[in-house]
Protein backbone atom coordinates (compact mmCIF):
# COMPACT_ATOMS: atom_id res chain seq x y z
CA UNK A 1 0.00 0.00 0.00
CA UNK A 2 1.42 3.36 -0.97
CA UNK A 3 2.24 5.58 1.98
CA UNK A 4 0.34 8.81 2.37
CA UNK A 5 2.30 11.99 1.62
CA UNK A 6 3.45 14.11 4.53
CA UNK A 7 1.15 17.04 5.29
CA UNK A 8 2.35 20.29 3.77
CA UNK A 9 4.31 22.60 6.03
CA UNK A 10 3.34 26.13 6.87
CA UNK A 11 5.93 27.51 4.47
CA UNK A 12 4.22 25.76 1.55
CA UNK A 13 0.90 27.48 2.18
CA UNK A 14 0.99 30.99 0.78
CA UNK A 15 -1.77 33.38 1.73
CA UNK A 16 -4.08 33.35 4.71
CA UNK A 17 -1.29 34.63 6.95
CA UNK A 18 1.25 32.01 5.87
CA UNK A 19 4.91 32.81 6.37
CA UNK A 20 7.06 33.12 3.20
CA UNK A 21 9.76 30.54 2.57
CA UNK A 22 12.55 33.01 3.43
CA UNK A 23 11.02 33.84 6.80
CA UNK A 24 10.80 30.74 9.03
CA UNK A 25 7.76 30.62 11.31
CA UNK A 26 7.91 30.74 15.03
CA UNK A 27 8.52 27.28 16.54
CA UNK A 28 5.41 27.59 18.69
CA UNK A 29 3.28 28.29 15.62
CA UNK A 30 4.74 25.24 13.87
CA UNK A 31 4.03 23.05 16.89
CA UNK A 32 0.42 24.25 17.05
CA UNK A 33 -0.08 23.66 13.35
CA UNK A 34 1.38 20.16 13.47
CA UNK A 35 -0.76 19.33 16.50
CA UNK A 36 -3.88 20.50 14.67
CA UNK A 37 -2.93 18.50 11.56
CA UNK A 38 -2.27 15.40 13.68
CA UNK A 39 -5.62 15.69 15.45
CA UNK A 40 -7.38 16.26 12.14
CA UNK A 41 -5.70 13.15 10.74
CA UNK A 42 -6.79 11.09 13.74
CA UNK A 43 -10.40 12.16 13.35
CA UNK A 44 -10.21 11.45 9.62
CA UNK A 45 -8.92 7.93 10.24
CA UNK A 46 -11.42 7.36 13.05
CA UNK A 47 -14.18 8.28 10.63
CA UNK A 48 -12.73 5.74 8.23
CA UNK A 49 -12.94 3.03 10.90
CA UNK A 50 -16.60 3.88 11.48
CA UNK A 51 -17.27 3.71 7.75
CA UNK A 52 -15.51 0.34 7.57
CA UNK A 53 -18.02 -1.33 9.92
CA UNK A 54 -20.88 0.25 7.91
CA UNK A 55 -23.45 1.18 10.57
CA UNK A 56 -25.91 2.11 7.82
CA UNK A 57 -26.00 -1.56 6.81
CA UNK A 58 -26.99 -2.69 10.28
CA UNK A 59 -30.60 -2.02 9.34
CA UNK A 60 -30.49 -5.58 7.94
CA UNK A 61 -30.33 -6.81 11.51
CA UNK A 62 -33.92 -5.71 12.15
CA UNK A 63 -34.72 -9.25 10.96
CA UNK A 64 -33.61 -10.26 14.46
CA UNK A 65 -36.68 -8.44 15.77
CA UNK A 66 -39.13 -10.15 13.40
CA UNK A 67 -40.08 -12.99 15.79
CA UNK A 68 -41.01 -10.44 18.47
CA UNK A 69 -43.19 -8.41 16.10
CA UNK A 70 -45.10 -11.40 14.76
CA UNK A 71 -45.47 -12.94 18.22
CA UNK A 72 -47.51 -9.90 19.38
CA UNK A 73 -44.96 -9.19 22.13
CA UNK A 74 -43.30 -6.07 20.76
CA UNK A 75 -44.42 -3.90 23.68
CA UNK A 76 -43.27 -6.28 26.41
CA UNK A 77 -40.36 -4.29 28.00
CA UNK A 78 -38.40 -7.31 29.22
CA UNK A 79 -38.76 -9.15 25.93
CA UNK A 80 -37.88 -6.05 23.95
CA UNK A 81 -34.70 -5.70 26.03
CA UNK A 82 -33.68 -9.26 25.13
CA UNK A 83 -34.46 -8.53 21.48
CA UNK A 84 -32.37 -5.34 21.58
CA UNK A 85 -29.45 -7.31 23.04
CA UNK A 86 -29.74 -9.88 20.26
CA UNK A 87 -29.83 -7.08 17.71
CA UNK A 88 -26.69 -5.56 19.22
CA UNK A 89 -24.79 -8.86 19.05
CA UNK A 90 -25.53 -9.24 15.34
CA UNK A 91 -24.53 -5.60 14.71
CA UNK A 92 -21.14 -6.18 16.36
CA UNK A 93 -20.54 -9.37 14.41
CA UNK A 94 -21.71 -7.75 11.17
CA UNK A 95 -19.24 -4.91 11.74
CA UNK A 96 -16.43 -7.45 12.20
CA UNK A 97 -17.48 -9.27 9.03
CA UNK A 98 -17.45 -6.02 7.04
CA UNK A 99 -13.90 -5.35 8.25
CA UNK A 100 -12.77 -8.84 7.27
CA UNK A 101 -14.56 -8.64 3.93
CA UNK A 102 -13.00 -5.29 3.03
CA UNK A 103 -9.54 -6.56 3.95
CA UNK A 104 -10.03 -9.56 1.68
CA UNK A 105 -11.56 -7.46 -1.13
CA UNK A 106 -9.19 -4.48 -1.00
CA UNK A 107 -7.44 -5.24 -4.29
CA UNK A 108 -10.68 -5.91 -6.18
CA UNK A 109 -12.37 -2.86 -4.64
CA UNK A 110 -9.62 -0.61 -6.03
CA UNK A 111 -10.85 -1.54 -9.52
CA UNK A 112 -14.45 -0.55 -8.75
CA UNK A 113 -15.51 3.03 -9.58
CA UNK A 114 -17.31 3.41 -6.23
CA UNK A 115 -15.86 0.77 -3.92
CA UNK A 116 -12.35 2.09 -4.44
CA UNK A 117 -13.34 4.88 -2.04
CA UNK A 118 -13.88 2.43 0.82
CA UNK A 119 -11.52 3.22 3.71
CA UNK A 120 -9.25 0.19 3.39
CA UNK A 121 -9.10 0.20 -0.41
CA UNK A 122 -8.32 3.93 -0.46
CA UNK A 123 -5.68 3.72 2.27
CA UNK A 124 -7.63 5.75 4.78
CA UNK A 125 -7.64 2.78 7.16
CA UNK A 126 -4.63 0.47 7.38
CA UNK A 127 -5.04 -3.29 7.22
CA UNK A 128 -3.53 -3.58 10.71
CA UNK A 129 -6.06 -1.14 12.20
CA UNK A 130 -8.91 -2.97 10.48
CA UNK A 131 -7.72 -6.30 11.89
CA UNK A 132 -7.54 -4.89 15.42
CA UNK A 133 -11.03 -3.42 15.09
CA UNK A 134 -12.40 -6.71 13.76
CA UNK A 135 -10.84 -8.58 16.70
CA UNK A 136 -12.41 -6.23 19.24
CA UNK A 137 -15.84 -6.54 17.62
CA UNK A 138 -15.60 -10.34 17.52
CA UNK A 139 -14.74 -10.54 21.22
CA UNK A 140 -17.57 -8.17 22.17
CA UNK A 141 -20.09 -9.84 19.85
CA UNK A 142 -19.42 -13.45 20.81
CA UNK A 143 -19.03 -12.44 24.46
CA UNK A 144 -22.46 -10.87 24.36
CA UNK A 145 -23.90 -13.92 22.61
CA UNK A 146 -22.42 -16.19 25.31
CA UNK A 147 -24.36 -14.21 27.92
CA UNK A 148 -27.62 -15.29 26.29
CA UNK A 149 -29.23 -18.71 25.77
CA UNK A 150 -26.82 -21.37 24.47
CA UNK A 151 -28.77 -21.93 21.21
CA UNK A 152 -28.47 -18.20 20.51
CA UNK A 153 -24.69 -18.41 21.01
CA UNK A 154 -24.53 -21.33 18.57
CA UNK A 155 -26.51 -19.38 15.95
CA UNK A 156 -24.32 -16.29 16.43
CA UNK A 157 -21.14 -18.37 15.99
CA UNK A 158 -22.61 -20.06 12.91
CA UNK A 159 -23.52 -16.65 11.45
CA UNK A 160 -20.01 -15.34 12.00
CA UNK A 161 -18.18 -18.41 10.68
CA UNK A 162 -20.44 -18.64 7.66
CA UNK A 163 -19.72 -15.02 6.78
CA UNK A 164 -15.97 -15.50 7.22
CA UNK A 165 -16.10 -18.52 4.89
CA UNK A 166 -18.06 -16.41 2.43
CA UNK A 167 -15.55 -13.56 2.56
CA UNK A 168 -12.49 -15.72 1.93
CA UNK A 169 -13.69 -18.40 -0.50
CA UNK A 170 -17.37 -19.20 -0.97
CA UNK A 171 -18.25 -15.82 -2.54
CA UNK A 172 -16.35 -17.01 -5.62
CA UNK A 173 -19.11 -19.47 -6.53
CA UNK A 174 -22.08 -18.14 -8.44
CA UNK A 175 -25.51 -18.67 -6.83
CA UNK A 176 -23.87 -20.27 -3.80
CA UNK A 177 -22.74 -16.81 -2.77
CA UNK A 178 -26.31 -15.49 -2.84
CA UNK A 179 -27.57 -18.58 -1.02
CA UNK A 180 -25.10 -17.87 1.78
CA UNK A 181 -26.27 -14.26 2.00
CA UNK A 182 -29.83 -15.55 2.35
CA UNK A 183 -28.70 -18.00 5.02
CA UNK A 184 -27.33 -15.06 6.98
CA UNK A 185 -30.76 -13.44 7.06
CA UNK A 186 -32.40 -16.70 8.12
CA UNK A 187 -29.86 -17.05 10.94
CA UNK A 188 -30.74 -13.54 12.11
CA UNK A 189 -34.41 -14.52 12.38
CA UNK A 190 -33.63 -17.81 14.12
CA UNK A 191 -31.21 -16.03 16.44
CA UNK A 192 -33.89 -13.48 17.31
CA UNK A 193 -36.22 -16.34 18.20
CA UNK A 194 -33.70 -18.06 20.46
CA UNK A 195 -32.62 -14.78 22.03
CA UNK A 196 -36.18 -14.01 23.08
CA UNK A 197 -37.43 -17.59 23.62
CA UNK A 198 -40.04 -17.17 20.88
CA UNK A 199 -40.98 -19.93 18.47
CA UNK A 200 -40.23 -18.95 14.86
CA UNK A 201 -42.83 -20.10 12.35
CA UNK A 202 -41.83 -21.92 9.19
CA UNK A 203 -43.61 -19.24 7.16
CA UNK A 204 -41.33 -16.56 8.61
CA UNK A 205 -38.22 -18.60 7.82
CA UNK A 206 -39.30 -19.31 4.23
CA UNK A 207 -40.36 -15.70 3.59
CA UNK A 208 -37.05 -14.46 4.94
CA UNK A 209 -35.05 -16.88 2.80
CA UNK A 210 -36.95 -15.99 -0.39
CA UNK A 211 -36.76 -12.25 0.24
CA UNK A 212 -33.02 -12.45 0.92
CA UNK A 213 -32.47 -14.48 -2.27
CA UNK A 214 -34.44 -11.87 -4.19
CA UNK A 215 -32.33 -9.01 -2.80
CA UNK A 216 -29.11 -10.95 -3.39
CA UNK A 217 -29.92 -11.73 -7.01
CA UNK A 218 -30.88 -8.09 -7.51
CA UNK A 219 -27.51 -6.98 -6.19
CA UNK A 220 -25.66 -9.39 -8.51
CA UNK A 221 -27.77 -8.26 -11.50
CA UNK A 222 -26.88 -4.66 -10.75
CA UNK A 223 -23.17 -5.48 -10.33
CA UNK A 224 -23.09 -7.44 -13.56
CA UNK A 225 -24.61 -4.57 -15.54
CA UNK A 226 -22.35 -1.96 -13.93
CA UNK A 227 -19.09 -3.94 -14.13
CA UNK A 228 -19.28 -4.97 -17.80
CA UNK A 229 -15.77 -6.00 -18.86
CA UNK A 230 -14.39 -5.60 -15.33
CA UNK A 231 -16.81 -8.17 -13.88
CA UNK A 232 -14.30 -10.93 -13.20
CA UNK A 233 -11.74 -8.55 -11.68
CA UNK A 234 -14.26 -6.91 -9.36
CA UNK A 235 -15.99 -10.11 -8.24
CA UNK A 236 -14.89 -13.47 -9.59
CA UNK A 237 -18.36 -15.04 -9.33
CA UNK A 238 -19.85 -12.38 -11.64
CA UNK A 239 -18.22 -13.98 -14.67
CA UNK A 240 -20.30 -17.09 -13.98
CA UNK A 241 -23.61 -15.21 -13.92
CA UNK A 242 -25.62 -14.26 -16.97
CA UNK A 243 -28.19 -11.45 -17.31
CA UNK A 244 -30.89 -13.90 -18.41
CA UNK A 245 -30.18 -16.27 -15.54
CA UNK A 246 -30.31 -13.48 -12.96
CA UNK A 247 -33.47 -12.01 -14.49
CA UNK A 248 -35.11 -15.42 -14.23
CA UNK A 249 -33.93 -15.84 -10.62
CA UNK A 250 -35.25 -12.37 -9.76
CA UNK A 251 -38.63 -13.14 -11.30
CA UNK A 252 -39.01 -16.49 -9.55
CA UNK A 253 -37.96 -15.23 -6.12
CA UNK A 254 -40.09 -12.08 -6.42
CA UNK A 255 -43.23 -14.08 -7.16
CA UNK A 256 -42.37 -16.72 -4.56
CA UNK A 257 -41.75 -14.10 -1.87
CA UNK A 258 -45.05 -12.34 -2.48
CA UNK A 259 -46.92 -15.64 -2.80
CA UNK A 260 -45.49 -17.08 0.42
CA UNK A 261 -46.23 -13.90 2.37
CA UNK A 262 -49.80 -13.84 1.05
CA UNK A 263 -50.24 -17.53 1.95
CA UNK A 264 -49.07 -16.73 5.49
CA UNK A 265 -51.57 -13.89 5.87
CA UNK A 266 -54.54 -16.05 4.82
CA UNK A 267 -53.46 -19.18 6.69
CA UNK A 268 -56.09 -20.34 9.19
CA UNK A 269 -53.56 -20.52 12.04
CA UNK A 270 -52.40 -16.98 11.30
CA UNK A 271 -55.96 -15.66 11.36
CA UNK A 272 -56.69 -17.48 14.60
CA UNK A 273 -53.48 -16.30 16.28
CA UNK A 274 -53.94 -12.63 15.40
CA UNK A 275 -57.73 -12.71 15.62
CA UNK A 276 -58.18 -10.96 12.27
CA UNK A 277 -58.79 -11.69 8.60
CA UNK A 278 -57.28 -8.40 7.44
CA UNK A 279 -53.56 -9.13 7.44
CA UNK A 280 -53.65 -10.08 3.76
CA UNK A 281 -54.18 -6.39 2.92
CA UNK A 282 -50.54 -5.71 3.80
CA UNK A 283 -49.49 -7.76 0.73
CA UNK A 284 -50.11 -4.64 -1.36
CA UNK A 285 -47.14 -2.90 0.25
CA UNK A 286 -44.93 -5.97 -0.21
CA UNK A 287 -45.72 -5.89 -3.93
CA UNK A 288 -44.91 -2.17 -4.11
CA UNK A 289 -41.58 -2.64 -2.31
CA UNK A 290 -40.60 -5.56 -4.56
CA UNK A 291 -41.49 -3.60 -7.69
CA UNK A 292 -39.54 -0.55 -6.50
CA UNK A 293 -36.45 -2.64 -5.78
CA UNK A 294 -36.55 -4.09 -9.30
CA UNK A 295 -36.76 -0.55 -10.62
CA UNK A 296 -33.70 0.48 -8.60
CA UNK A 297 -31.72 -2.51 -9.89
CA UNK A 298 -32.24 -1.37 -13.47
CA UNK A 299 -32.26 2.42 -13.15
CA UNK A 300 -29.35 3.21 -10.80
CA UNK A 301 -26.26 1.66 -12.43
CA UNK A 302 -23.89 4.16 -10.80
CA UNK A 303 -24.93 3.29 -7.24
CA UNK A 304 -22.65 1.07 -5.17
CA UNK A 305 -25.47 -1.46 -4.76
CA UNK A 306 -29.26 -1.48 -5.07
CA UNK A 307 -29.60 -2.76 -1.50
CA UNK A 308 -27.79 0.37 -0.31
CA UNK A 309 -29.67 2.62 -2.73
CA UNK A 310 -33.05 1.36 -1.53
CA UNK A 311 -32.33 2.74 1.94
CA UNK A 312 -32.07 6.21 0.40
CA UNK A 313 -35.01 5.83 -1.99
CA UNK A 314 -38.11 7.71 -0.81
CA UNK A 315 -40.80 5.52 -2.46
CA UNK A 316 -39.17 2.29 -1.26
CA UNK A 317 -38.70 3.52 2.30
CA UNK A 318 -42.27 4.84 2.31
CA UNK A 319 -43.66 1.47 1.18
CA UNK A 320 -41.72 -0.35 3.92
CA UNK A 321 -42.71 2.13 6.65
CA UNK A 322 -46.37 2.01 5.67
CA UNK A 323 -46.21 -1.79 5.64
CA UNK A 324 -44.73 -1.76 9.15
CA UNK A 325 -47.36 0.69 10.35
CA UNK A 326 -50.29 -1.26 8.92
CA UNK A 327 -48.93 -4.58 10.24
CA UNK A 328 -48.62 -3.11 13.73
CA UNK A 329 -52.10 -1.59 13.44
CA UNK A 330 -53.64 -4.93 12.51
CA UNK A 331 -51.52 -7.29 14.64
CA UNK A 332 -51.77 -5.19 17.80
CA UNK A 333 -55.33 -4.03 17.13
CA UNK A 334 -54.29 -0.40 17.53
CA UNK A 335 -57.20 2.02 17.68
CA UNK A 336 -57.35 5.71 18.59
CA UNK A 337 -58.53 6.26 22.16
Amino acid sequence: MASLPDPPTLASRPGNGAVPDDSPPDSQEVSSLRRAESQSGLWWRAGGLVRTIRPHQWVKNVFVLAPVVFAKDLFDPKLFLHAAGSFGVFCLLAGAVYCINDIADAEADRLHPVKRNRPIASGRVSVHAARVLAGVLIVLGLGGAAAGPFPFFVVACTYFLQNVAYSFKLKEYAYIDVALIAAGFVLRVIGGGYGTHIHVSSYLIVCTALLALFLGFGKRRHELAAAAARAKKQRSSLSRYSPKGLDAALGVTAVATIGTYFAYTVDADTKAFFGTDDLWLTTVFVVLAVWRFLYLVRSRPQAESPTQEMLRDGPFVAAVLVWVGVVLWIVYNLRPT
Side-chain angles (χ1 to χ4, degrees):
M1 182 182 299
S3 60
L4 295 175
D6 293 331
T9 64
L10 185 61
S12 67
R13 298 179 180 180
N16 296 324
V19 179
D21 290 346
D22 58 355
S23 178
D26 180 80
S27 60
Q28 187 174 2
E29 292 180 16
V30 173
S31 298
S32 298
L33 179 60
R34 287 178 177 173
R35 191 183 307 113
E37 288 173 339
S38 176
Q39 291 174 349
S40 175
L42 288 174
W43 280 112
W44 180 67
R45 294 187 187 282
L49 287 173
V50 173
R51 283 189 58 196
T52 299
I53 62 177
R54 301 180 211 172
H56 64 280
Q57 294 281 9
W58 294 355
V59 67
K60 298 173 183 177
N61 294 323
V62 297
F63 279 83
V64 175
L65 306 178
V68 180
V69 174
F70 287 98
K72 299 195 300 184
D73 288 322
L74 182 61
F75 300 118
D76 182 331
K78 184 177 180 181
L79 199 60
F80 187 80
L81 185 62
H82 287 302
S86 302
F87 175 82
V89 165
F90 276 89
C91 287
L92 291 169
L93 294 178
V97 168
Y98 284 129
C99 284
I100 295 170
N101 185 72
D102 283 4
I103 292 171
D105 283 355
E107 292 300 325
D109 286 348
R110 293 187 183 103
L111 301 173
H112 192 281
V114 177
K115 294 180 181 180
R116 66 186 179 188
N117 296 316
R118 286 178 173 176
I120 298 175
S122 66
R124 182 175 179 180
V125 172
S126 69
V127 171
H128 174 72
R131 285 173 177 166
V132 171
L133 178 59
V136 171
L137 294 173
I138 292 168
V139 171
L140 292 176
L142 294 182
F150 181 71
F152 175 74
F153 175 72
V154 172
V155 171
C157 289
T158 303
Y159 168 83
F160 174 70
L161 293 175
Q162 173 233 306
N163 276 280
V164 170
Y166 169 87
S167 295
F168 283 102
K169 187 63 179 177
L170 298 180
K171 65 183 177 183
E172 299 175 5
Y173 300 96
Y175 296 98
I176 292 178
D177 58 342
V178 175
L180 287 171
I181 292 173
F185 280 91
V186 171
L187 287 171
R188 288 177 174 97
V189 172
I190 295 174
Y194 282 130
T196 55
H197 302 283
I198 292 175
H199 172 71
V200 179
S201 74
S202 56
Y203 271 116
L204 184 55
I205 292 176
V206 174
C207 278
T208 300
L210 289 170
L211 177 61
L213 286 171
F214 170 70
L215 296 176
F217 288 134
K219 185 175 182 180
R220 291 294 178 268
R221 182 65 177 88
H222 175 272
E223 290 174 336
L224 188 62
R230 301 186 308 274
K232 187 173 182 179
K233 292 182 179 179
Q234 289 182 195
R235 188 187 292 275
S236 59
S237 66
L238 283 182
S239 61
R240 302 180 182 92
Y241 282 108
S242 68
K244 287 186 178 180
L246 286 171
D247 286 341
L250 274 170
V252 170
T253 51
V255 172
T257 299
I258 296 170
T260 303
Y261 180 79
F262 179 76
Y264 166 71
T265 62
V266 298
D267 185 87
D269 291 338
T270 302
K271 292 180 179 180
F273 181 73
F274 294 119
T276 179
D277 295 335
D278 298 332
L279 195 60
W280 69 273
L281 295 171
T282 61
T283 308
V284 173
F285 305 107
V286 176
V287 173
L288 290 174
V290 166
W291 172 83
R292 187 64 185 179
F293 179 77
L294 288 172
Y295 171 80
L296 293 175
V297 168
R298 296 181 177 278
S299 67
R300 308 284 175 88
Q302 300 305 316
E304 180 173 342
S305 76
T307 51
Q308 183 171 330
E309 191 69 12
M310 72 185 185
L311 301 177
R312 296 192 291 254
D313 182 69
F316 180 87
V317 173
V320 173
L321 290 179
V322 173
W323 173 78
V324 171
V326 175
V327 166
L328 292 177
W329 182 278
I330 294 174
V331 168
Y332 291 91
N333 194 29
L334 301 178
R335 298 290 185 271
T337 56

